[in-house]
Amino acid sequence: MIDATLTLPVDEGFPRRRRMRVDPIAAAGMFWIVLALLACWLAPYLLHIDAYATDVAHAYAQPGGAHWLGTDGLGRDELARLLIGGRITLSVGIVAALVAMLIGTLYGALSGFYGGWFDSILMRVVDVFLAVPTLFLLLFLAALFNGSVLTLMLVIGFTAWLGPSRLVRGEVLTLKERLYVEAARSSGAGDWRIIFRHVVPNAMGTIITTTTFMVASAMLAETALSYLGIGIRLPIPSWGNLLTSAQSDLFARAYWLILPPGLAILITVCAFNFVGDWLREKQT
Amino acid sequence: MFQFVLKRLLLAIPTLLGVTVLTFILLHLAPGNLAQTLAGENATPAQVSRITHELGLDRPVYEQYAIWLGKLTRGDLGFSYRRQASVLSLIGERIGRTLLLMGSALALSIVIAVPLGVYQAFRRNTIFDRAASAVVFVAWSMPTFWFGTILIALFAVQLRWSPVGGLQTIDTASFDWPSRLAHLILPAATLALVSLAGWSRYIRGSMVEQLQEDYARTARAKGLPAGAVLFKHTLRNALIPFITLLGGTIPALFGGAVITEQIFAYPGMGQLFWQSATDRDYFTLLGMTVITALLVILGNLLADVLYGVVDPRVRYD
């Protein structure tokens, strides 16, 4: 649709000292991601806290004492909800990104490899999807299939594959002209073997970089949908719905509930973007 | 030029048809009896059967599509039984407000992103550049609704500089420009966040590249002041591909409008879309999707045409 892509300059990314191998910002991002994964999956066991146990007598307890981050309107431990919510939001982000990349890679690779009218038709289909705002599609699908965490992952993944498919197609268009493809073909390799053993592995850099950014945007999609009331449904916690309900808890002057989920989303999404940015710069 | 526009308009038709097919498929993925859902929970069996007959829901799917498409080409987007109004009038009432919101956000975003990106490129790798990049990254990673709520808490609740939400102050009976503009500032700022980060990063990268070109160095060596080189020479070249980027941001702005209008109770298309999604008013959803897709396609076409206008190197074949 847009023919000007060739003249786009390379995104410079975050300014940084070039000599370092892993730059400190990306390292901090990776450190945070590992820390968040470990904390969300291990800490609830170690601290013996329950995200679902209500205790109305201690509703809206201030941080400190038995509840490090205080409690919510039903007396549930906020730290436990934050950690379990992190499991949900992180797994939605990661699984949705993987779904999107799987569809996008397959679609883009086939389109770019076979070219011709097949490619034109497939790319017209992408144009059709791109003409509809992603959030519209998300709302539409989420309204149709309301419910589980798994469907939300699939719905977000299904609306996010368009960008990746174009990127992979672009890579494949140049990769398929390489000599090693010709070599593989002359030694009798079939199309599928060439695509998945020779072409796609060489596009892996682009694919991994895009996946990292996709995790960040899928996490933001989860929070947006939760805000609109069609994301993760209570009582299951997620960073998106914790932040949403914290906004109404402000009326009860429970100001301590708003920062933890908000910062968790902000820092984690930033961390994935930092790592993605560093990966992209390393490629060029 | 004329031929190019005509060709692109013709090419837009299959894309738009594709959108109608896509939305129609989505409609039929809906579980349960469609006529019942459209009529609402309290509808009598007679009403349901009347809707079934009117929409041809008792006929094969391709005939239903043909009926719907036939109406569409005559400008009939269907009837919302939930809201007891034609979809076209529902959209017509709100589309101007949303376009105004998007336009303001677009303008605000450009006014901030372009100077910021230019100055970052000019002072590349300094503390200012790094700090600005960090701020931009945070803006990029922030949930829109959180940013909107912070703006409300700060400027509407604490400082009382701005109204909390809505279209205009209620007691003014007629159209009231000052009140409308006052109600537009915070939503526009929130929606601007959607595009701000990407654009300033883009302008910075693009300017860094242009500043390294020979023509920029020559202009500087001739003794032109830095400001003249930045704004008269390099920025012009950096802005050319930016036009394409603007066209590509339109869908994201429509999506962002859904959330922004929800935060600020702004009665535009985004709010209508959300409401229709929650009460399953499918024909309103379909109509809005088609109209939005039309605007997106026209926006991209406009961007491509403008691209050729500002860059004479581009040829239309």
mmCIF file with all atom_site columns, all heavy atoms in Angstrom, chain A residues 220 223 262 265-266 269-270 273, chain B residues 136-148 150 193:
data_model
loop_
_atom_site.group_PDB
_atom_site.id
_atom_site.type_symbol
_atom_site.label_atom_id
_atom_site.label_alt_id
_atom_site.label_comp_id
_atom_site.label_asym_id
_atom_site.label_entity_id
_atom_site.label_seq_id
_atom_site.pdbx_PDB_ins_code
_atom_site.Cartn_x
_atom_site.Cartn_y
_atom_site.Cartn_z
_atom_site.occupancy
_atom_site.B_iso_or_equiv
_atom_site.pdbx_formal_charge
_atom_site.auth_seq_id
_atom_site.auth_comp_id
_atom_site.auth_asym_id
_atom_site.auth_atom_id
_atom_site.pdbx_PDB_model_num
ATOM 1   N N   . LEU A 1 220 ? 0.485  -4.203 26.573 1.00 0.00 ? 220 LEU A N   1
ATOM 2   C CA  . LEU A 1 220 ? -0.302 -2.968 26.569 1.00 0.00 ? 220 LEU A CA  1
ATOM 3   C C   . LEU A 1 220 ? -1.725 -3.239 26.063 1.00 0.00 ? 220 LEU A C   1
ATOM 4   O O   . LEU A 1 220 ? -2.684 -2.646 26.547 1.00 0.00 ? 220 LEU A O   1
ATOM 5   C CB  . LEU A 1 220 ? 0.372  -1.891 25.716 1.00 0.00 ? 220 LEU A CB  1
ATOM 6   C CG  . LEU A 1 220 ? 1.586  -1.214 26.355 1.00 0.00 ? 220 LEU A CG  1
ATOM 7   C CD1 . LEU A 1 220 ? 2.186  -0.200 25.408 1.00 0.00 ? 220 LEU A CD1 1
ATOM 8   C CD2 . LEU A 1 220 ? 1.199  -0.543 27.663 1.00 0.00 ? 220 LEU A CD2 1
ATOM 9   N N   . THR A 1 223 ? -3.746 -4.539 28.918 1.00 0.00 ? 223 THR A N   1
ATOM 10  C CA  . THR A 1 223 ? -4.200 -3.498 29.847 1.00 0.00 ? 223 THR A CA  1
ATOM 11  C C   . THR A 1 223 ? -5.331 -2.682 29.231 1.00 0.00 ? 223 THR A C   1
ATOM 12  O O   . THR A 1 223 ? -6.300 -2.364 29.915 1.00 0.00 ? 223 THR A O   1
ATOM 13  C CB  . THR A 1 223 ? -3.052 -2.555 30.248 1.00 0.00 ? 223 THR A CB  1
ATOM 14  O OG1 . THR A 1 223 ? -2.627 -1.832 29.101 1.00 0.00 ? 223 THR A OG1 1
ATOM 15  C CG2 . THR A 1 223 ? -1.900 -3.287 30.849 1.00 0.00 ? 223 THR A CG2 1
ATOM 16  N N   . GLY A 1 262 ? 0.602  0.035  38.004 1.00 0.00 ? 262 GLY A N   1
ATOM 17  C CA  . GLY A 1 262 ? 1.005  0.981  36.969 1.00 0.00 ? 262 GLY A CA  1
ATOM 18  C C   . GLY A 1 262 ? 2.500  0.909  36.696 1.00 0.00 ? 262 GLY A C   1
ATOM 19  O O   . GLY A 1 262 ? 2.938  0.805  35.550 1.00 0.00 ? 262 GLY A O   1
ATOM 20  N N   . ILE A 1 265 ? 3.553  -2.406 34.953 1.00 0.00 ? 265 ILE A N   1
ATOM 21  C CA  . ILE A 1 265 ? 3.339  -2.390 33.498 1.00 0.00 ? 265 ILE A CA  1
ATOM 22  C C   . ILE A 1 265 ? 4.394  -1.523 32.823 1.00 0.00 ? 265 ILE A C   1
ATOM 23  O O   . ILE A 1 265 ? 5.080  -1.940 31.885 1.00 0.00 ? 265 ILE A O   1
ATOM 24  C CB  . ILE A 1 265 ? 1.939  -1.831 33.148 1.00 0.00 ? 265 ILE A CB  1
ATOM 25  C CG1 . ILE A 1 265 ? 0.851  -2.727 33.706 1.00 0.00 ? 265 ILE A CG1 1
ATOM 26  C CG2 . ILE A 1 265 ? 1.779  -1.677 31.647 1.00 0.00 ? 265 ILE A CG2 1
ATOM 27  C CD1 . ILE A 1 265 ? -0.522 -2.094 33.675 1.00 0.00 ? 265 ILE A CD1 1
ATOM 28  N N   . LEU A 1 266 ? 4.539  -0.295 33.353 1.00 0.00 ? 266 LEU A N   1
ATOM 29  C CA  . LEU A 1 266 ? 5.432  0.676  32.726 1.00 0.00 ? 266 LEU A CA  1
ATOM 30  C C   . LEU A 1 266 ? 6.860  0.138  32.622 1.00 0.00 ? 266 LEU A C   1
ATOM 31  O O   . LEU A 1 266 ? 7.463  0.136  31.545 1.00 0.00 ? 266 LEU A O   1
ATOM 32  C CB  . LEU A 1 266 ? 5.406  1.957  33.563 1.00 0.00 ? 266 LEU A CB  1
ATOM 33  C CG  . LEU A 1 266 ? 6.085  3.167  32.971 1.00 0.00 ? 266 LEU A CG  1
ATOM 34  C CD1 . LEU A 1 266 ? 5.345  3.600  31.727 1.00 0.00 ? 266 LEU A CD1 1
ATOM 35  C CD2 . LEU A 1 266 ? 6.106  4.302  33.978 1.00 0.00 ? 266 LEU A CD2 1
ATOM 36  N N   . VAL A 1 269 ? 7.098  -3.146 30.328 1.00 0.00 ? 269 VAL A N   1
ATOM 37  C CA  . VAL A 1 269 ? 6.973  -2.836 28.894 1.00 0.00 ? 269 VAL A CA  1
ATOM 38  C C   . VAL A 1 269 ? 8.223  -2.102 28.414 1.00 0.00 ? 269 VAL A C   1
ATOM 39  O O   . VAL A 1 269 ? 8.779  -2.410 27.353 1.00 0.00 ? 269 VAL A O   1
ATOM 40  C CB  . VAL A 1 269 ? 5.695  -2.006 28.631 1.00 0.00 ? 269 VAL A CB  1
ATOM 41  C CG1 . VAL A 1 269 ? 5.649  -1.517 27.196 1.00 0.00 ? 269 VAL A CG1 1
ATOM 42  C CG2 . VAL A 1 269 ? 4.461  -2.832 28.922 1.00 0.00 ? 269 VAL A CG2 1
ATOM 43  N N   . CYS A 1 270 ? 8.691  -1.151 29.217 1.00 0.00 ? 270 CYS A N   1
ATOM 44  C CA  . CYS A 1 270 ? 9.947  -0.453 28.907 1.00 0.00 ? 270 CYS A CA  1
ATOM 45  C C   . CYS A 1 270 ? 11.088 -1.449 28.740 1.00 0.00 ? 270 CYS A C   1
ATOM 46  O O   . CYS A 1 270 ? 11.869 -1.362 27.803 1.00 0.00 ? 270 CYS A O   1
ATOM 47  C CB  . CYS A 1 270 ? 10.305 0.499  30.054 1.00 0.00 ? 270 CYS A CB  1
ATOM 48  S SG  . CYS A 1 270 ? 10.109 2.227  29.672 1.00 0.00 ? 270 CYS A SG  1
ATOM 49  N N   . ASN A 1 273 ? 10.935 -3.199 25.508 1.00 0.00 ? 273 ASN A N   1
ATOM 50  C CA  . ASN A 1 273 ? 11.280 -2.277 24.426 1.00 0.00 ? 273 ASN A CA  1
ATOM 51  C C   . ASN A 1 273 ? 12.783 -1.988 24.383 1.00 0.00 ? 273 ASN A C   1
ATOM 52  O O   . ASN A 1 273 ? 13.372 -1.892 23.304 1.00 0.00 ? 273 ASN A O   1
ATOM 53  C CB  . ASN A 1 273 ? 10.497 -0.979 24.573 1.00 0.00 ? 273 ASN A CB  1
ATOM 54  C CG  . ASN A 1 273 ? 9.069  -1.114 24.094 1.00 0.00 ? 273 ASN A CG  1
ATOM 55  O OD1 . ASN A 1 273 ? 8.766  -1.982 23.275 1.00 0.00 ? 273 ASN A OD1 1
ATOM 56  N ND2 . ASN A 1 273 ? 8.193  -0.279 24.597 1.00 0.00 ? 273 ASN A ND2 1
ATOM 57  N N   . VAL B 2 136 ? 10.820 9.646  26.126 1.00 0.00 ? 136 VAL B N   1
ATOM 58  C CA  . VAL B 2 136 ? 10.043 9.132  25.006 1.00 0.00 ? 136 VAL B CA  1
ATOM 59  C C   . VAL B 2 136 ? 9.764  7.635  25.176 1.00 0.00 ? 136 VAL B C   1
ATOM 60  O O   . VAL B 2 136 ? 8.664  7.152  24.904 1.00 0.00 ? 136 VAL B O   1
ATOM 61  C CB  . VAL B 2 136 ? 10.789 9.427  23.686 1.00 0.00 ? 136 VAL B CB  1
ATOM 62  C CG1 . VAL B 2 136 ? 10.256 8.570  22.569 1.00 0.00 ? 136 VAL B CG1 1
ATOM 63  C CG2 . VAL B 2 136 ? 10.648 10.894 23.336 1.00 0.00 ? 136 VAL B CG2 1
ATOM 64  N N   . PHE B 2 137 ? 10.778 6.903  25.675 1.00 0.00 ? 137 PHE B N   1
ATOM 65  C CA  . PHE B 2 137 ? 10.580 5.463  25.898 1.00 0.00 ? 137 PHE B CA  1
ATOM 66  C C   . PHE B 2 137 ? 9.501  5.212  26.939 1.00 0.00 ? 137 PHE B C   1
ATOM 67  O O   . PHE B 2 137 ? 8.682  4.312  26.805 1.00 0.00 ? 137 PHE B O   1
ATOM 68  C CB  . PHE B 2 137 ? 11.891 4.804  26.344 1.00 0.00 ? 137 PHE B CB  1
ATOM 69  C CG  . PHE B 2 137 ? 12.543 4.033  25.251 1.00 0.00 ? 137 PHE B CG  1
ATOM 70  C CD1 . PHE B 2 137 ? 13.424 4.654  24.389 1.00 0.00 ? 137 PHE B CD1 1
ATOM 71  C CD2 . PHE B 2 137 ? 12.260 2.693  25.069 1.00 0.00 ? 137 PHE B CD2 1
ATOM 72  C CE1 . PHE B 2 137 ? 14.022 3.952  23.364 1.00 0.00 ? 137 PHE B CE1 1
ATOM 73  C CE2 . PHE B 2 137 ? 12.847 1.985  24.054 1.00 0.00 ? 137 PHE B CE2 1
ATOM 74  C CZ  . PHE B 2 137 ? 13.737 2.609  23.194 1.00 0.00 ? 137 PHE B CZ  1
ATOM 75  N N   . VAL B 2 138 ? 9.509  6.030  27.993 1.00 0.00 ? 138 VAL B N   1
ATOM 76  C CA  . VAL B 2 138 ? 8.480  5.880  29.032 1.00 0.00 ? 138 VAL B CA  1
ATOM 77  C C   . VAL B 2 138 ? 7.105  6.162  28.441 1.00 0.00 ? 138 VAL B C   1
ATOM 78  O O   . VAL B 2 138 ? 6.147  5.409  28.656 1.00 0.00 ? 138 VAL B O   1
ATOM 79  C CB  . VAL B 2 138 ? 8.773  6.805  30.228 1.00 0.00 ? 138 VAL B CB  1
ATOM 80  C CG1 . VAL B 2 138 ? 7.580  6.841  31.168 1.00 0.00 ? 138 VAL B CG1 1
ATOM 81  C CG2 . VAL B 2 138 ? 10.006 6.312  30.979 1.00 0.00 ? 138 VAL B CG2 1
ATOM 82  N N   . ALA B 2 139 ? 7.004  7.234  27.638 1.00 0.00 ? 139 ALA B N   1
ATOM 83  C CA  . ALA B 2 139 ? 5.723  7.574  27.015 1.00 0.00 ? 139 ALA B CA  1
ATOM 84  C C   . ALA B 2 139 ? 5.237  6.436  26.128 1.00 0.00 ? 139 ALA B C   1
ATOM 85  O O   . ALA B 2 139 ? 4.054  6.127  26.063 1.00 0.00 ? 139 ALA B O   1
ATOM 86  C CB  . ALA B 2 139 ? 5.860  8.855  26.195 1.00 0.00 ? 139 ALA B CB  1
ATOM 87  N N   . TRP B 2 140 ? 6.187  5.795  25.449 1.00 0.00 ? 140 TRP B N   1
ATOM 88  C CA  . TRP B 2 140 ? 5.879  4.709  24.537 1.00 0.00 ? 140 TRP B CA  1
ATOM 89  C C   . TRP B 2 140 ? 5.334  3.505  25.306 1.00 0.00 ? 140 TRP B C   1
ATOM 90  O O   . TRP B 2 140 ? 4.518  2.738  24.803 1.00 0.00 ? 140 TRP B O   1
ATOM 91  C CB  . TRP B 2 140 ? 7.155  4.340  23.794 1.00 0.00 ? 140 TRP B CB  1
ATOM 92  C CG  . TRP B 2 140 ? 7.006  3.391  22.664 1.00 0.00 ? 140 TRP B CG  1
ATOM 93  C CD1 . TRP B 2 140 ? 5.879  3.162  21.927 1.00 0.00 ? 140 TRP B CD1 1
ATOM 94  C CD2 . TRP B 2 140 ? 8.019  2.552  22.123 1.00 0.00 ? 140 TRP B CD2 1
ATOM 95  N NE1 . TRP B 2 140 ? 6.137  2.231  20.955 1.00 0.00 ? 140 TRP B NE1 1
ATOM 96  C CE2 . TRP B 2 140 ? 7.441  1.844  21.059 1.00 0.00 ? 140 TRP B CE2 1
ATOM 97  C CE3 . TRP B 2 140 ? 9.356  2.340  22.420 1.00 0.00 ? 140 TRP B CE3 1
ATOM 98  C CZ2 . TRP B 2 140 ? 8.160  0.933  20.299 1.00 0.00 ? 140 TRP B CZ2 1
ATOM 99  C CZ3 . TRP B 2 140 ? 10.076 1.432  21.665 1.00 0.00 ? 140 TRP B CZ3 1
ATOM 100 C CH2 . TRP B 2 140 ? 9.483  0.739  20.614 1.00 0.00 ? 140 TRP B CH2 1
ATOM 101 N N   . SER B 2 141 ? 5.802  3.318  26.544 1.00 0.00 ? 141 SER B N   1
ATOM 102 C CA  . SER B 2 141 ? 5.489  2.108  27.295 1.00 0.00 ? 141 SER B CA  1
ATOM 103 C C   . SER B 2 141 ? 4.342  2.308  28.270 1.00 0.00 ? 141 SER B C   1
ATOM 104 O O   . SER B 2 141 ? 4.073  1.436  29.078 1.00 0.00 ? 141 SER B O   1
ATOM 105 C CB  . SER B 2 141 ? 6.730  1.650  28.074 1.00 0.00 ? 141 SER B CB  1
ATOM 106 O OG  . SER B 2 141 ? 7.847  1.615  27.238 1.00 0.00 ? 141 SER B OG  1
ATOM 107 N N   . MET B 2 142 ? 3.668  3.434  28.208 1.00 0.00 ? 142 MET B N   1
ATOM 108 C CA  . MET B 2 142 ? 2.656  3.747  29.206 1.00 0.00 ? 142 MET B CA  1
ATOM 109 C C   . MET B 2 142 ? 1.264  3.388  28.683 1.00 0.00 ? 142 MET B C   1
ATOM 110 O O   . MET B 2 142 ? 0.924  3.716  27.557 1.00 0.00 ? 142 MET B O   1
ATOM 111 C CB  . MET B 2 142 ? 2.715  5.244  29.466 1.00 0.00 ? 142 MET B CB  1
ATOM 112 C CG  . MET B 2 142 ? 2.060  5.663  30.723 1.00 0.00 ? 142 MET B CG  1
ATOM 113 S SD  . MET B 2 142 ? 2.600  7.331  31.072 1.00 0.00 ? 142 MET B SD  1
ATOM 114 C CE  . MET B 2 142 ? 2.197  7.410  32.787 1.00 0.00 ? 142 MET B CE  1
ATOM 115 N N   . PRO B 2 143 ? 0.461  2.705  29.515 1.00 0.00 ? 143 PRO B N   1
ATOM 116 C CA  . PRO B 2 143 ? -0.921 2.483  29.077 1.00 0.00 ? 143 PRO B CA  1
ATOM 117 C C   . PRO B 2 143 ? -1.634 3.829  28.893 1.00 0.00 ? 143 PRO B C   1
ATOM 118 O O   . PRO B 2 143 ? -1.549 4.696  29.761 1.00 0.00 ? 143 PRO B O   1
ATOM 119 C CB  . PRO B 2 143 ? -1.545 1.717  30.245 1.00 0.00 ? 143 PRO B CB  1
ATOM 120 C CG  . PRO B 2 143 ? -0.412 1.166  31.021 1.00 0.00 ? 143 PRO B CG  1
ATOM 121 C CD  . PRO B 2 143 ? 0.728  2.107  30.824 1.00 0.00 ? 143 PRO B CD  1
ATOM 122 N N   . THR B 2 144 ? -2.319 3.987  27.752 1.00 0.00 ? 144 THR B N   1
ATOM 123 C CA  . THR B 2 144 ? -2.975 5.261  27.443 1.00 0.00 ? 144 THR B CA  1
ATOM 124 C C   . THR B 2 144 ? -3.938 5.691  28.546 1.00 0.00 ? 144 THR B C   1
ATOM 125 O O   . THR B 2 144 ? -3.981 6.849  28.927 1.00 0.00 ? 144 THR B O   1
ATOM 126 C CB  . THR B 2 144 ? -3.787 5.135  26.147 1.00 0.00 ? 144 THR B CB  1
ATOM 127 O OG1 . THR B 2 144 ? -3.048 4.352  25.236 1.00 0.00 ? 144 THR B OG1 1
ATOM 128 C CG2 . THR B 2 144 ? -4.081 6.479  25.553 1.00 0.00 ? 144 THR B CG2 1
ATOM 129 N N   . PHE B 2 145 ? -4.699 4.707  29.055 1.00 0.00 ? 145 PHE B N   1
ATOM 130 C CA  . PHE B 2 145 ? -5.740 5.087  30.010 1.00 0.00 ? 145 PHE B CA  1
ATOM 131 C C   . PHE B 2 145 ? -5.139 5.567  31.320 1.00 0.00 ? 145 PHE B C   1
ATOM 132 O O   . PHE B 2 145 ? -5.705 6.406  32.003 1.00 0.00 ? 145 PHE B O   1
ATOM 133 C CB  . PHE B 2 145 ? -6.725 3.935  30.232 1.00 0.00 ? 145 PHE B CB  1
ATOM 134 C CG  . PHE B 2 145 ? -6.217 2.787  31.045 1.00 0.00 ? 145 PHE B CG  1
ATOM 135 C CD1 . PHE B 2 145 ? -6.406 2.761  32.410 1.00 0.00 ? 145 PHE B CD1 1
ATOM 136 C CD2 . PHE B 2 145 ? -5.585 1.725  30.432 1.00 0.00 ? 145 PHE B CD2 1
ATOM 137 C CE1 . PHE B 2 145 ? -5.960 1.684  33.156 1.00 0.00 ? 145 PHE B CE1 1
ATOM 138 C CE2 . PHE B 2 145 ? -5.129 0.652  31.171 1.00 0.00 ? 145 PHE B CE2 1
ATOM 139 C CZ  . PHE B 2 145 ? -5.318 0.636  32.538 1.00 0.00 ? 145 PHE B CZ  1
ATOM 140 N N   . TRP B 2 146 ? -3.948 5.045  31.651 1.00 0.00 ? 146 TRP B N   1
ATOM 141 C CA  . TRP B 2 146 ? -3.292 5.495  32.875 1.00 0.00 ? 146 TRP B CA  1
ATOM 142 C C   . TRP B 2 146 ? -2.859 6.951  32.737 1.00 0.00 ? 146 TRP B C   1
ATOM 143 O O   . TRP B 2 146 ? -3.074 7.776  33.620 1.00 0.00 ? 146 TRP B O   1
ATOM 144 C CB  . TRP B 2 146 ? -2.100 4.586  33.201 1.00 0.00 ? 146 TRP B CB  1
ATOM 145 C CG  . TRP B 2 146 ? -1.649 4.697  34.620 1.00 0.00 ? 146 TRP B CG  1
ATOM 146 C CD1 . TRP B 2 146 ? -2.433 4.917  35.708 1.00 0.00 ? 146 TRP B CD1 1
ATOM 147 C CD2 . TRP B 2 146 ? -0.307 4.593  35.104 1.00 0.00 ? 146 TRP B CD2 1
ATOM 148 N NE1 . TRP B 2 146 ? -1.660 4.947  36.840 1.00 0.00 ? 146 TRP B NE1 1
ATOM 149 C CE2 . TRP B 2 146 ? -0.363 4.754  36.505 1.00 0.00 ? 146 TRP B CE2 1
ATOM 150 C CE3 . TRP B 2 146 ? 0.928  4.374  34.485 1.00 0.00 ? 146 TRP B CE3 1
ATOM 151 C CZ2 . TRP B 2 146 ? 0.788  4.698  37.299 1.00 0.00 ? 146 TRP B CZ2 1
ATOM 152 C CZ3 . TRP B 2 146 ? 2.057  4.309  35.275 1.00 0.00 ? 146 TRP B CZ3 1
ATOM 153 C CH2 . TRP B 2 146 ? 1.985  4.476  36.668 1.00 0.00 ? 146 TRP B CH2 1
ATOM 154 N N   . PHE B 2 147 ? -2.248 7.251  31.585 1.00 0.00 ? 147 PHE B N   1
ATOM 155 C CA  . PHE B 2 147 ? -1.824 8.627  31.311 1.00 0.00 ? 147 PHE B CA  1
ATOM 156 C C   . PHE B 2 147 ? -3.014 9.576  31.376 1.00 0.00 ? 147 PHE B C   1
ATOM 157 O O   . PHE B 2 147 ? -2.953 10.638 32.005 1.00 0.00 ? 147 PHE B O   1
ATOM 158 C CB  . PHE B 2 147 ? -1.148 8.682  29.935 1.00 0.00 ? 147 PHE B CB  1
ATOM 159 C CG  . PHE B 2 147 ? -0.624 10.035 29.567 1.00 0.00 ? 147 PHE B CG  1
ATOM 160 C CD1 . PHE B 2 147 ? 0.431  10.600 30.263 1.00 0.00 ? 147 PHE B CD1 1
ATOM 161 C CD2 . PHE B 2 147 ? -1.193 10.754 28.522 1.00 0.00 ? 147 PHE B CD2 1
ATOM 162 C CE1 . PHE B 2 147 ? 0.918  11.849 29.922 1.00 0.00 ? 147 PHE B CE1 1
ATOM 163 C CE2 . PHE B 2 147 ? -0.710 12.003 28.178 1.00 0.00 ? 147 PHE B CE2 1
ATOM 164 C CZ  . PHE B 2 147 ? 0.343  12.546 28.882 1.00 0.00 ? 147 PHE B CZ  1
ATOM 165 N N   . GLY B 2 148 ? -4.139 9.164  30.751 1.00 0.00 ? 148 GLY B N   1
ATOM 166 C CA  . GLY B 2 148 ? -5.345 9.998  30.770 1.00 0.00 ? 148 GLY B CA  1
ATOM 167 C C   . GLY B 2 148 ? -5.836 10.245 32.187 1.00 0.00 ? 148 GLY B C   1
ATOM 168 O O   . GLY B 2 148 ? -6.217 11.364 32.548 1.00 0.00 ? 148 GLY B O   1
ATOM 169 N N   . ILE B 2 150 ? -4.083 10.155 34.947 1.00 0.00 ? 150 ILE B N   1
ATOM 170 C CA  . ILE B 2 150 ? -3.147 11.044 35.649 1.00 0.00 ? 150 ILE B CA  1
ATOM 171 C C   . ILE B 2 150 ? -3.438 12.492 35.269 1.00 0.00 ? 150 ILE B C   1
ATOM 172 O O   . ILE B 2 150 ? -3.484 13.381 36.124 1.00 0.00 ? 150 ILE B O   1
ATOM 173 C CB  . ILE B 2 150 ? -1.692 10.662 35.317 1.00 0.00 ? 150 ILE B CB  1
ATOM 174 C CG1 . ILE B 2 150 ? -1.352 9.318  35.944 1.00 0.00 ? 150 ILE B CG1 1
ATOM 175 C CG2 . ILE B 2 150 ? -0.721 11.730 35.821 1.00 0.00 ? 150 ILE B CG2 1
ATOM 176 C CD1 . ILE B 2 150 ? -0.012 8.767  35.541 1.00 0.00 ? 150 ILE B CD1 1
ATOM 177 N N   . LEU B 2 193 ? -0.360 10.955 22.905 1.00 0.00 ? 193 LEU B N   1
ATOM 178 C CA  . LEU B 2 193 ? 0.649  10.037 23.430 1.00 0.00 ? 193 LEU B CA  1
ATOM 179 C C   . LEU B 2 193 ? 0.819  8.819  22.531 1.00 0.00 ? 193 LEU B C   1
ATOM 180 O O   . LEU B 2 193 ? 1.906  8.245  22.438 1.00 0.00 ? 193 LEU B O   1
ATOM 181 C CB  . LEU B 2 193 ? 0.242  9.589  24.846 1.00 0.00 ? 193 LEU B CB  1
ATOM 182 C CG  . LEU B 2 193 ? 1.291  8.805  25.622 1.00 0.00 ? 193 LEU B CG  1
ATOM 183 C CD1 . LEU B 2 193 ? 2.318  9.753  26.181 1.00 0.00 ? 193 LEU B CD1 1
ATOM 184 C CD2 . LEU B 2 193 ? 0.647  8.004  26.745 1.00 0.00 ? 193 LEU B CD2 1
#
